[in-house]
Amino acid sequence: MRVTVRLFARLRDIAGSAELTRQAAAGATIGTVWRDLVAEFPGLADYERSISCAVNADYARMTQALSDGDEVAFLPPVSGG
């Protein structure tokens, strides 16, 4: 199945793109996609414990199963004031 991955802020900088298209096996989860991205872009690993994720604009857990055509977003923590 094909999923679109959206990366924000520092994650986008590490991967060099705000949007990526990836193939995933049937039954893949958000966590599966994340681990594949970390294998490709090792600098992402530093954010694993602090990122939020969403599927089709709804916040989700890493264990959520994905479907063909889903959009997965990874968001690092944000600070500001």
Side-chain angles (χ1 to χ4, degrees):
M1 72 178 147
R2 190 177 79 166
V3 296
T4 300
V5 177
R6 306 257 344 243
L7 301 168
F8 294 88
R10 182 70 182 127
L11 304 180
R12 175 188 59 228
D13 296 341
I14 292 168
S17 181
E19 187 173 298
L20 306 167
T21 302
R22 292 292 183 265
Q23 293 294 322
T29 65
I30 297 170
T32 305
V33 172
W34 175 255
R35 287 187 295 278
D36 289 347
L37 287 173
V38 169
E40 188 174 348
F41 306 105
L44 295 175
D46 294 340
Y47 295 88
E48 186 161 346
R49 294 185 182 266
S50 60
I51 60 168
S52 296
C53 50
V55 175
N56 302 324
D58 290 324
Y59 282 103
R61 296 184 185 268
M62 288 284 206
T63 56
Q64 181 170 323
L66 298 172
S67 299
D68 187 45
D70 278 348
E71 179 184 85
V72 180
F74 294 106
L75 306 100
V78 186
S79 64

